[in-house]
Amino acid sequence: MKDFNPTQKFDKIEHNGLEVRNLNIHIGDVHILKDVNVTIPKNKITCIIGPSGCGKSTLLRTFNRIIDTTEGVKIDGDVLFGNYNIVKSHGSKLIELRRHIGLVPQRPCPLPMSIFDNIAYGCRIHGIRNKEKLNAIVEHYLRNIGLWDEVKERLHTPASRLSGGQQQRLCLARSLAVEPSVLLADESTSALDPISSKKVEQLFVDLKRDYTIVIVTHTLQQAQRIADNVIFMYLGEVIEQGTAQEVFNNPQKELTKRYLNGAFS
Ligand SMILES: Nc1ncnc2c1ncn2[C@@H]1O[C@H](COP(=O)(O)OP(=O)(O)O)[C@@H](O)[C@H]1O
Ligand SMILES: [Mg+2]
């Protein structure tokens, strides 16, 4: 990884991670997230764990407000991030905010275009047209995620021809190219084979120096390998949160202990 980003083009946001206060989410009449209070520390990997249906994705999807696309959703509370209150941002503020908080999709989903254009896409949308600059950006991010040597001879071929693992790394590069400060990933290795999965995992570990990372993990083992901080959820509530060391080695709540012992999986 390079020490500085020669392609830097957008202002970075001053922030200290995310602070979630009294967050409640209803979808229709159903109370999905119940008075959630959590802290997501800057430049660490925070893993959200818990059994299926407990609200992990809903919480993650609130952080860049992609949750707004869910019909009948009602959000109360605050999610503080730098000078923003994520819950209360609208219009151009919200568009700005979404650039700062990138979401890595669950399944690799390259855009139906070339490898090059997949990475240049977001930059073009944000007004960068200069060819040399785009070339530099594409190379920088492909190197960043360790894909450059694998694809440099075929940058202008369809991204859909890459393997699943390569596609997922490409999607990660696409998210990084618009220079977010926070990266959200929802089970983004669940569709990958074990080797590709480890590669993406290692990338997150390398990236935390420059990004605040929040990951919904589909396996406890993954959280145990990479988490600095852990949030354990159950039925829409945060049961326990703390450093990985605290939560995994010395859980305070009975429910956490039972989950860690495999009672719900
Ligand atoms: N669009 C929706 N409409 C109604 N209920 C939903 C919707 N999306 C999620 N839910 C419900 O919200 C709860 C939490 O879901 P989710 O956040 O996806 O859980 P997880 O990611 O932990 O598996 C579940 O009970 C789920 O059925
Ligand atoms: Mg989910």
Side-chain angles (χ1 to χ4, degrees), residues 27-28 30 32-33 50-59 61 70-71 186-187 216 233:
I27 300 178
V30 190
I32 307 277
L33 289 190
S52 180
C54 70
K56 304 182 295 295
S57 297
T58 305
L59 180 59
R61 287 158 50 82
T70 302
E71 214 177 287
D186 193 348
E187 306 195 8
V216 170
M233 298 182 68

Side-chain angles (χ1 to χ4, degrees), residues 21-50:
R21 295 197 188 143
N22 308 319
L23 180 69
N24 282 281
I25 292 192
H26 289 80
I27 300 178
D29 294 334
V30 190
H31 199 175
I32 307 277
L33 289 190
K34 298 168 188 161
D35 214 26
V36 167
N37 286 278
V38 290
T39 300
I40 309 277
K42 187 179 181 181
N43 291 46
K44 304 264 186 226
I45 296 180
T46 299
C47 286
I48 307 176
I49 60 171

Side-chain angles (χ1 to χ4, degrees), residues 189 192-203 225:
T189 60
L192 304 181
D193 63 84
I195 291 172
S196 307
S197 173
K198 283 270 164 61
K199 271 192 187 166
V200 173
E201 238 177 74
Q202 185 55 46
L203 272 172
R225 283 193 295 269

